[in-house]
Amino acid sequence: MRIRRASETAGSLIDITPLVDMMFTLVLFFLVTTSFTEDERDIQVNLPDAVEGKTLSDAAPLITINVRQDGSYFLLDRPMDLTQLRQAVADAIKTKADQKVLVRGDKLALHGHVAAAVLACRQSGVHQANIGYQLEPAMRGN
């Protein structure tokens, strides 16, 4: 019977170089194929909470209108009045007929200001104007 020495078995090491190469290839693939989008947010608009609801699809780019607490309107971080807002939305409708609009009203803004923004969108020819709200993760304290 032959007894193996420790020096004979030490030579069988696993080469992990191909595994490391594959890991770097996968990381590169995921970095290249990931799309980084930045949502347009106005930090001065506090959205009201809702318990249940659906989110809008990210398939088509949205026109986002922000209505602040004082009743001012912002489109792409530019202050506008209702006439300018109506014209800007109408110009966007000319390039894309099924354009969707999201109206984000501050929770302390008057309903009339938010409704005026939705009405301006409808008068511009928008078929789908949505009002944005923040989903509450779960009912608190029930």
Side-chain angles (χ1 to χ4, degrees), residues 13 17 19 27 30 35 41 49 69 81 87 93 99 105 107 121:
L13 296 176
T17 305
L19 296 174
V27 167
F30 288 125
S35 63
R41 302 260 188 243
D49 295 331
Q69 182 178 357
D81 61 5
Q87 184 61 40
I93 292 298
Q99 180 67 51
K107 65 181 171 183
C121 294

Side-chain angles (χ1 to χ4, degrees), residues 40-42 45 64-68 72-75 104:
E40 190 272 322
R41 302 260 188 243
D42 189 353
V45 174
T64 305
I65 300 169
N66 293 302
V67 181
R68 292 193 177 164
S72 58
Y73 302 100
F74 283 81
L75 177 65
R104 299 178 69 239

Side-chain angles (χ1 to χ4, degrees), residues 75-137:
L75 177 65
L76 298 174
D77 294 329
R78 292 181 303 175
M80 296 187 167
D81 61 5
L82 283 175
T83 307
Q84 294 170 331
L85 184 66
R86 192 177 298 117
Q87 184 61 40
V89 172
D91 291 341
I93 292 298
K94 289 177 185 175
T95 60
K96 186 175 180 187
D98 61 339
Q99 180 67 51
K100 294 180 184 177
V101 175
L102 176 64
V103 179
R104 299 178 69 239
D106 191 283
K107 65 181 171 183
L108 298 178
L110 296 176
H111 176 71
H113 297 301
V114 177
V118 172
L119 180 63
C121 294
R122 296 273 168 95
Q123 290 173 345
S124 298
V126 173
H127 298 294
Q128 189 172 3
N130 299 295
I131 297 176
Y133 52 88
Q134 184 173 0
L135 291 176
E136 190 172 327

Side-chain angles (χ1 to χ4, degrees), residues 8-30:
E8 292 178 4
T9 59
S12 59
L13 296 176
I14 298 174
D15 186 20
I16 63 167
T17 305
L19 296 174
V20 173
D21 289 344
M22 182 56 77
M23 182 189 67
F24 285 128
T25 303
L26 287 173
V27 167
L28 272 171
F29 172 76
F30 288 125

